[in-house]
Amino acid sequence: MNKIKMITYNALLRLRTWWKSIHIILFFLYVWLLCDIYLRPVTAFIQSVQVNASPYGFVFLIDRLDFVLLFFLGIVFAFGDVPFINNTVRYTVLRTGILTWTEAQIFYLWICSFLFMAVSMAISLIPLAGYLEFQTGWGKIYGTMAQTSVGHTFQLLLKPNYQIMLDYEPLTALLCIFVIGCLLICLIGKILFLFSMWYEKIIGVTIVLGFILFSAAAEALSGFRANFFSPFSWIRLSRLAEFRGQGLPVMSDAICVLVVFHLVISGIIYLKSIKKDFHC
């Protein structure tokens, strides 16, 4: 019980530094800018038809390849201070042990993942503030944008995928994106943490960037089932053929594989922590 309290205390102590972390502040401003660029033009269409939009625009934002690339590159920047080494770390490690301290940092990464996704989804509502209406369905705005050429008429960057509307209920889609997003974000954090602590941070950054950018290659090579090997493509619901049987990864496959990735990386971090050697 004392160990759990110590892990929680250290993780929350790290969370308190958010307000003065330039990486975190700039990341959320960056997400707001991205959402504004993609969603602000939709207000012109909303005003023309005088029908409010449903609050599920993030589902279609994260389904865009360019948005996925930009969003996760921003995540890498947000984790710029990994492995969270400061002047008090040596004292904390001596007091709690490196294993407990490491477990606290991993717990902090999970908290970050949850908050990054939750806050990003909330930020996506800001550009359409005043034009939103809670609906149980996708609503007429996104339905019309998906099935007609109105996007070209109003020069909209957002193009909702109609197949997503057929395959998912809005809240289910949001939940799926949230779960996979948290798994991907925390995986980025763990990889950066592992390489920053025991190897070279630049190697971890290179690996993460390689996986992120490979999602663009997977888009071009979709006929060769490249999506099987592109974890950052799995957050795009149009890439998951759960109901269409196209041989691409389904939601359950994607989550299971990501969980396995987490177990492997966590196991390596645990084994390294036992050796009690790390860079400061």
Side-chain angles (χ1 to χ4, degrees):
M1 183 61 69
N2 288 335
K3 183 175 182 179
I4 293 176
K5 289 182 178 179
M6 187 64 68
I7 290 172
T8 303
Y9 172 79
N10 280 295
L12 295 180
L13 191 65
R14 179 66 198 172
L15 192 64
R16 291 181 185 177
T17 65
W18 265 36
W19 66 273
K20 57 182 179 181
S21 170
I22 189 65
H23 293 94
I24 302 297
I25 295 172
L26 288 180
F27 169 71
F28 285 129
L29 289 175
Y30 172 72
V31 171
W32 169 77
L33 179 62
L34 287 179
C35 291
D36 194 74
I37 290 173
Y38 284 98
L39 290 173
R40 180 72 62 180
V42 178
T43 59
F45 173 53
I46 293 174
Q47 291 171 345
S48 70
V49 296
Q50 297 184 343
V51 176
N52 287 338
S54 60
Y56 310 119
F58 192 80
V59 173
F60 305 114
L61 273 179
I62 205 69
D63 196 60
R64 289 184 58 98
L65 174 62
D66 51 356
F67 187 86
V68 169
L69 294 175
L70 293 171
F71 179 77
F72 284 106
L73 288 176
I75 292 293
V76 175
F77 175 79
F79 282 135
D81 56 351
V82 170
F84 319 120
I85 300 295
N86 56 40
N87 295 331
T88 66
V89 167
R90 287 194 178 276
Y91 169 76
T92 304
V93 169
L94 289 173
R95 187 164 57 93
T96 66
I98 187 173
L99 184 58
T100 299
W101 177 82
T102 300
E103 290 170 342
Q105 307 316 304
I106 298 302
F107 182 43
Y108 169 72
L109 289 175
W110 279 112
I111 296 175
C112 286
S113 303
F114 177 88
L115 291 177
F116 283 165
M117 282 302 297
V119 175
S120 295
M121 286 180 168
I123 288 175
S124 70
L125 302 176
I126 296 177
L128 298 181
Y131 300 98
L132 293 172
E133 178 181 324
F134 179 78
Q135 304 170 36
T136 55
W138 291 105
K140 295 180 179 179
I141 293 297
Y142 294 124
T144 302
M145 290 170 60
Q147 299 178 78
T148 68
S149 60
V150 67
H152 178 73
T153 303
F154 285 87
Q155 298 182 329
L156 304 179
L157 294 175
L158 190 67
K159 176 64 175 177
N161 188 294
Y162 190 60
Q163 189 64 47
I164 294 177
M165 298 181 183
L166 296 177
D167 291 348
Y168 297 90
E169 292 296 323
L171 293 180
T172 302
L174 282 175
L175 178 61
C176 290
I177 288 172
F178 184 82
V179 171
I180 292 184
C182 287
L183 288 170
L184 288 171
I185 292 171
C186 191
L187 187 62
I188 290 174
K190 285 183 178 180
I191 292 174
L192 295 178
F193 182 81
L194 170 64
F195 282 91
S196 298
M197 285 286 289
W198 292 284
Y199 302 101
E200 295 295 332
K201 185 173 184 177
I202 187 62
I203 299 176
V205 172
T206 301
I207 291 173
V208 170
L209 292 180
F211 272 110
I212 294 173
L213 296 177
F214 182 69
S215 59
E219 179 82 359
L221 300 173
S222 57
F224 298 92
R225 298 185 179 181
N227 289 281
F228 275 122
F229 308 100
S230 176
F232 289 92
S233 296
W234 301 342
I235 197 170
R236 301 172 61 201
L237 298 184
S238 63
R239 297 293 89 193
L240 296 176
E242 187 168 15
F243 300 100
R244 287 168 284 165
Q246 296 179 1
L248 300 176
V250 297
M251 183 64 65
S252 56
D253 293 336
I255 292 176
C256 287
V257 172
L258 289 174
V259 169
V260 171
F261 284 168
H262 274 277
L263 291 176
V264 171
I265 298 297
S266 297
I268 296 173
I269 292 174
Y270 176 78
L271 293 175
K272 286 290 186 179
S273 297
I274 292 178
K275 295 182 179 181
K276 301 181 179 180
D277 59 330
F278 65 100
H279 314 323
C280 281

